[in-house]
Amino acid sequence: MHHSESTAIHPRGTLDFIRRFFANIPLLGWLAGALAAVILEQAVGTSLAHALGLPRIPVLFGFLIFLKQPALIPGALGYVLVSNILPVCIVAKIGAPLFNLLSRSLFRMPIVVTAVVHLAILYAIFHIWTDVSAYRLIMLKLMLISILLTLSLNVINGYMGEFSCSHPGFMALGAYAASLFTVGLFVNDRLFGEALLVSDFAVIFFPLGLIFAGLVSALGALIIAIPSFKTRGDYLAIISLAFTFIVKSFLENLEFLGGPRGLSGQPDWSSLPMVFIIVVLGVWIINNFVTSTMGKALNAVRDDEIAAEAMTVNTRKTKIIAFMFSAFWAGVAGGLFAHVIRFVNPSTFGIQKLAEVLAMVYFGGLNSVYGSIVGAVSISLLGEALRPLEILKWIIIPLLLILVMIFRPRGLISFKEFNIEKLLKPRG
Amino acid sequence: MSLLKVTSMTHKFGGLLAVSEYNLTIEPGQIVGLIGPNGAGKTTVFNLITGIYRPTAGRIEFNGQDVIGLAPNRIASLGLARTFQEMRLWRHMTVLEHVKMACYAKISYGLAGAFLQTPKRRRQEQEIEERAFASLKMFGVDQFASQLPVDLPYGAARRVEMARAAVTEPKLLFLDEPTVGMTPEEMMAMIEIIRDMHNKLKTAIFLIEHRLRVVTELCQRVQTLVFGQVIAEGNPEEIQNNPEVIKAYLGEEKVVA
Ligand SMILES: Nc1ncnc2c1ncn2[C@@H]1O[C@H](COP(=O)(O)OP(=O)(O)OP(=O)(O)O)[C@@H](O)[C@H]1O
Ligand SMILES: [Mg+2]
């Protein structure tokens, strides 16, 4: 008793204390807390912001004003504390016994049901949070899409241990393929003429367009995979980099796809529920793959290919399938992306996109679903916060990445298996 | 029909004749030893038969099938498993995952199972997990199931590698110096493990060793390889007393251990 009191002053002791204080809160409690916070913000956010001397609700936890309006920082910090942190913590902590009770009865049901309930609450939080500003909505959609993109690249660079630079290329293929599908079939367009199919329910065809986008990317991946995985050695990095550039200049030179000006007029089909469902589905399927023995073959190939072969693993087939699988999801991400921005042009999918997604993978952590989520979210937020610095941003992010590489060479949360049951279980 | 029949196998690394006119026959259930000084070409013989290298000349028949030119994974799935002199465990995979991975060729849930949680996938993953545990138990390392290779004591790592090779109950098992780097006590324990496994699985074994003690304990027949050529072949007794063998081993203290 006495001992723990004396260590509480020590920073590590304090951290420990906080951890223990919140240890009995199940994920359900945190979600409920967040839900309460966003509802509260919707109700009184604007008045609270005014009271703190802010012109409006800080849209991204104050990240955006840090560089633009430093004078408002104290107000923004106060806002985040009162409107975000406190409600979440108070509701989660006070309600912990109740949420554990609920969590326990949920846990007795099939894990799918438990997961769906949690996801539904998460969606509700997103929905209410983005209701406050259009900027939040677009930012959140792009962030979700980058989670899918990051995780798909992690399959190759993390789980399989090769270095691929082709994801901007795959994303471009997916973006254009999906746009072709939607603009060509469902929209009256100057480039493709009258809509071929007109229906109020056209949006239900969007998943088909995304599958088409994924398949086109996977086909592109096959073209890279065949020469790259023929022999052992580090050909993939260079071939995949070339691929990204080739796709870009190919698209720049195709007049019927708008050339360097690009394609526009995509219907507004990347709605929040659509993006949310597709990304959740993608993460679920990728996680299924990497946790199966078939998918673990990627790790065997990475750690010792000769041993993998000797243990009956068809290493070439494994690599080709993984690469096409990864490209499929990058293509889907591209398709979603095109319908969020509702405009695509080739220059979006260049070296800057590559740097961004590599930063997300390596910052978050190799061989880890948690890592990809953390990487995509934190680099997205950082990117938004640093936006006023313009080009300097592309110096700061790599520098940060180098720092992480020095202290945690494999990223923040690497080699950690995504365990849904452990994540959702009651904690008291 | 012999289980393995190698005829006039020759292999050159550039100008170096690593294996020359090599012949070998192994019958089902037999234990055959391969001894020889450092650099004699023993591991190369393993690598040639398991498909890592393609021999410059010669024939290899496993279970009546010509296996030259087949990918190593194909040869392995025919029922030829192996361990490595340098162990080759997978750094970031747990012991259980190692042994499950060796069942790769037995998986038939396909891409649908890999991407989705199909009942077939659950059933098969469960099956190979049970098999993997049984194999780990047989080698006395099941308590390490959730550990990574770096956390294993040396002897345990060797056993895990053998559990990985033996889990599919192969027809033929290649062991490349299973007692290398072990104390005499550990060596005796390893001999017992190999003998036990052989009694249980009736697997044929082809064993590379530096120490004569191991081959005399385990093998019915022994080949001596020097500079890529078999200079003597016979039962352990004959080999031990063969003057050519004694000469080849002169100055090699490792062998006497
Ligand atoms: N991939 C390779 N390329 C070139 N030379 C090689 C290769 N592998 C082995 N050698 C050479 O072939 C010869 C036989 O090597 P091998 O590894 O088969 O010997 P060994 O009998 O297993 O020796 P040890 O007892 O040290 O394991 C050696 O001279 C070695 O240097
Ligand atoms: Mg050797």
Side-chain angles (χ1 to χ4, degrees), chain B residues 22-80:
Chain B
Y22 177 85
N23 296 300
L24 169 71
T25 315
I26 297 180
E27 305 298 333
Q30 235 181 5
I31 306 186
V32 178
L34 180 63
I35 61 168
N38 283 111
K42 305 181 295 295
T43 300
T44 305
V45 167
F46 267 30
N47 289 343
L48 288 166
I49 299 173
T50 55
I52 293 178
Y53 308 135
R54 197 193 170 106
T56 318
R59 283 182 63 75
I60 306 173
E61 270 176 42
F62 179 63
N63 217 15
Q65 183 180 350
D66 179 8
V67 295
I68 288 184
L70 292 187
N73 75 75
R74 294 271 299 114
I75 298 175
S77 3
L78 294 173
L80 201 170

Side-chain angles (χ1 to χ4, degrees), chain A residues 285 287-290 292 294-295, chain B residues 109-116 118 121:
Chain A
I285 292 176
N287 188 52
N288 281 341
F289 180 55
V290 296
S292 71
M294 252 175 102
Chain B
Y109 54 64
L111 289 180
F115 298 157
L116 309 168
T118 59
R121 164 187 170 154

Side-chain angles (χ1 to χ4, degrees), chain B residues 5-238:
Chain B
K5 192 164 165 55
V6 181
T7 336
S8 309
M9 183 173 73
T10 296
H11 191 67
K12 288 182 185 150
F13 287 118
L16 176 79
L17 187 60
V19 175
S20 154
E21 292 289 321
Y22 177 85
N23 296 300
L24 169 71
T25 315
I26 297 180
E27 305 298 333
Q30 235 181 5
I31 306 186
V32 178
L34 180 63
I35 61 168
N38 283 111
K42 305 181 295 295
T43 300
T44 305
V45 167
F46 267 30
N47 289 343
L48 288 166
I49 299 173
T50 55
I52 293 178
Y53 308 135
R54 197 193 170 106
T56 318
R59 283 182 63 75
I60 306 173
E61 270 176 42
F62 179 63
N63 217 15
Q65 183 180 350
D66 179 8
V67 295
I68 288 184
L70 292 187
N73 75 75
R74 294 271 299 114
I75 298 175
S77 3
L78 294 173
L80 201 170
R82 71 172 291 180
T83 64
F84 295 90
Q85 190 170 353
E86 67 278 31
M87 281 204 287
R88 292 189 182 271
L89 295 173
W90 296 301
R91 258 187 84 182
H92 300 286
M93 290 169 66
T94 66
V95 165
L96 182 64
E97 285 168 355
H98 274 78
V99 187
K100 282 179 78 179
M101 185 53 63
C103 304
Y104 181 90
K106 310 261 177 216
I107 294 173
S108 65
Y109 54 64
L111 289 180
F115 298 157
L116 309 168
Q117 296 274 357
T118 59
K120 190 169 181 188
R121 164 187 170 154
R122 280 206 205 108
R123 200 172 55 241
Q124 285 195 354
E125 290 281 348
Q126 184 66 35
E127 268 166 29
I128 60 175
E129 186 159 322
E130 279 160 21
R131 264 178 104 144
F133 259 114
S135 186
L136 286 171
K137 258 207 191 85
M138 187 161 82
F139 289 92
V141 282
D142 50 315
Q143 74 273 30
F144 298 112
S146 59
Q147 235 112 298
L148 294 175
V150 282
D151 302 322
L152 300 179
Y154 177 74
R158 281 265 163 211
R159 290 170 189 219
V160 167
E161 208 207 1
M162 288 176 77
R164 176 175 74 169
V167 65
T168 51
E169 308 196 357
K171 299 188 182 76
L172 177 56
L173 180 59
F174 280 17
L175 301 176
D176 197 342
E177 301 204 23
T179 71
V180 70
M182 289 187 176
T183 63
E185 299 79 60
E186 286 173 326
M187 177 186 84
M188 292 314 292
M190 187 49 100
I191 291 173
E192 280 319 305
I193 288 166
I194 296 173
R195 211 193 312 264
D196 272 359
M197 171 185 66
H198 183 251
N199 287 340
K200 275 192 200 121
L201 305 181
K202 306 289 173 228
T203 307
I205 296 174
F206 188 32
L207 175 79
I208 292 180
E209 258 303 333
H210 252 300
R211 319 204 224 196
L212 276 178
R213 179 69 195 267
V214 183
V215 266
T216 43
E217 287 272 349
L218 289 169
C219 301
Q220 288 119 26
R221 201 152 51 80
V222 182
Q223 290 185 328
T224 310
L225 197 69
V226 178
F227 289 124
Q229 272 176 319
V230 176
I231 56 159
E233 179 161 1
N235 65 38
E237 194 113 319
E238 290 165 356

